[in-house]
């Protein structure tokens, strides 16, 4: 038989036990959300590293690091708040911890978005620069007496279909395709001013001396290519 006094004590402790159970459940949920954001940040960090290996441009790191730094600050503040007062996590949906978790998720998404946008920008610049030249070389192969258009097209297709590389193997595939594109036009061995013009358009840009050349202008007219290139005109 249990004494009434003991039963009374147990009953009085029930609300406290329920609160502890609820607190533990909320804490586990917070931890799960933070761990999910942490895993996403690890992926983003890997993406930045591999993007830099392909394009060797530090601006991606600089732009994305703004949001990564914010995530670190939010996580540190969240940790300090919970250590200071654990029950803060059960103050309703509008409590500081809930707001911090939302802010953490938002900044992770911004970091991911910025990373993806940088990759897409670099891809677009490369494709825009090379696509017309590859197309022209393919169409004019028989007339120009050259070979290699299919190889260039294959390299361009690899770049078009590639997402952000996730490992060193994927990095090397894209770097190899970029190298083939950059060296491909030169290796075609095109002769004369028009050949040199095509080589220049896929490199740093065609200087005005090519546009002033009669043969180049004639070929551009003959094959209706004036709108086929986006080139940077340099001084003679």
């Amino acid at each position: 038989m249990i004494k009434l006094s003991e039963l009374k004590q147990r009953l009085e402790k029930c609300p406290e036990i329920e609160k502890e159970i609820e607190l533990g459940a909320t804490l586990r949920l917070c931890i799960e959300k933070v761990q999910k954001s942490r895993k996403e940040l690890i992926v983003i960090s890997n993406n930045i590293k591999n993007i830099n290996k392909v394009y060797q441009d530090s601006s991606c790191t600089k732009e994305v690091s703004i949001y990564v730094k914010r995530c670190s600050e939010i996580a540190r503040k969240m940790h300090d708040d919970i250590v200071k007062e654990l029950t803060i996590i059960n103050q309703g949906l509008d409590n500081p911890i809930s707001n911090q978790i939302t802010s953490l998720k938002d900044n992770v998404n911004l970091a991911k978005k910025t990373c993806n946008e940088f990759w897409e920008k670099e891809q677009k610049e490369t494709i825009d620069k090379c696509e017309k030249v590859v197309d022209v070389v393919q169409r004019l192969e028989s007339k120009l007496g050259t070979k290699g258009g299919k190889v260039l097209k294959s390299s361009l297709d690899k770049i078009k279909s590639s997402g952000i590389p996730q490992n060193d193997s994927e990095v090397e595939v894209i770097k190899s395709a970029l190298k083939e594109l950059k060296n491909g036009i030169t290796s075609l061995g095109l002769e004369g001013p028009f050949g040199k013009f095509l080589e220049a358009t896929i490199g740093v840009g065609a200087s005005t001396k090519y546009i002033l050349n009669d043969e180049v202008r004639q070929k551009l007219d003959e094959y209706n290519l004036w709108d086929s290139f986006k080139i940077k005109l340099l001084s003679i």
Side-chain angles (χ1 to χ4, degrees):
M1 296 288 292
I2 188 171
K3 294 182 179 179
L4 287 177
S5 58
E6 292 179 5
L7 179 61
K8 179 175 177 291
Q9 289 177 355
R10 292 185 183 182
L11 290 174
E12 287 175 344
K13 288 182 178 180
C14 282
E16 294 179 7
I17 294 172
E18 288 178 359
K19 286 181 180 180
E20 289 177 0
I21 293 173
E22 183 182 356
L23 188 63
T26 306
L27 183 58
R28 281 193 298 273
L29 182 60
C30 289
I31 292 172
E32 287 174 4
K33 291 179 178 179
V34 172
Q35 286 179 337
K36 181 180 178 181
S37 293
R38 179 179 176 275
K39 290 178 180 178
E40 289 179 322
L41 285 171
I42 292 173
V43 172
I44 292 169
S45 176
N46 184 65
N47 286 347
I48 294 171
K49 179 184 69 176
N50 289 331
I51 288 174
N52 287 337
K53 287 181 180 179
V54 173
Y55 288 110
Q56 298 178 345
D57 189 333
S58 61
S59 61
C60 179
T61 303
K62 184 178 180 181
E63 292 175 19
V64 177
S65 64
I66 294 173
Y67 304 109
V68 174
K69 183 179 179 181
R70 288 180 188 171
C71 290
S72 178
E73 293 171 349
I74 293 167
R76 189 180 301 112
K77 180 69 167 59
M78 193 186 312
H79 173 270
D80 292 344
D81 286 347
I82 292 176
V83 169
K84 183 178 179 180
E85 181 55 65
L86 182 59
T87 57
I88 196 174
I89 66 174
N90 263 355
Q91 293 181 5
L93 293 177
D94 197 33
N95 69 65
I97 301 302
S98 177
N99 292 336
Q100 288 165 351
I101 288 176
T102 299
S103 181
L104 179 64
K105 181 180 178 181
D106 289 344
N107 278 280
V108 168
N109 288 336
L110 284 170
K112 188 188 305 181
K113 180 173 179 288
T114 302
C115 197
N116 290 337
E117 286 177 348
F118 182 88
W119 175 259
E120 291 167 3
K121 177 179 73 70
E122 292 291 335
Q123 291 288 83
K124 186 177 185 304
E125 288 178 1
T126 300
I127 291 168
D128 287 349
K129 191 174 185 180
C130 300
E131 194 166 35
K132 293 299 182 181
V133 176
V134 172
D135 179 61
V136 168
V137 170
Q138 278 194 304
R139 287 192 285 121
L140 303 184
E141 266 190 335
S142 60
K143 297 177 182 179
L144 296 174
T146 61
K147 296 181 180 179
K150 290 182 179 179
V151 175
L152 291 177
K153 179 66 164 56
S154 175
S155 298
L156 184 60
D157 287 343
K158 286 178 185 178
I159 294 172
K160 282 184 176 181
S161 62
S162 64
I164 299 175
Q166 298 301 300
N167 52 55
D168 287 341
S169 177
E170 292 181 8
V171 167
E172 288 306 315
V173 168
I174 299 173
K175 286 178 69 175
S176 177
L178 286 169
K179 185 176 180 180
E180 287 172 356
L181 273 174
K182 290 177 181 179
N183 297 336
I185 296 296
T186 301
S187 66
L188 291 175
L190 299 174
E191 297 180 356
F194 185 62
K196 297 300 181 183
F197 167 75
L198 290 181
E199 291 178 11
T201 58
I202 208 169
V204 295
S207 70
T208 53
K209 68 179 180 182
Y210 292 114
I211 304 301
L212 295 174
N213 184 275
D214 290 338
E215 179 186 330
V216 173
R217 294 203 307 277
Q218 180 184 345
K219 294 291 186 183
L220 292 174
D221 285 331
E222 182 180 350
Y223 302 119
N224 191 27
L225 300 176
W226 284 100
D227 294 327
S228 294
F229 302 103
K230 292 182 179 179
I231 60 176
K232 180 180 180 182
L233 293 179
L234 307 174
S235 60
I236 296 176

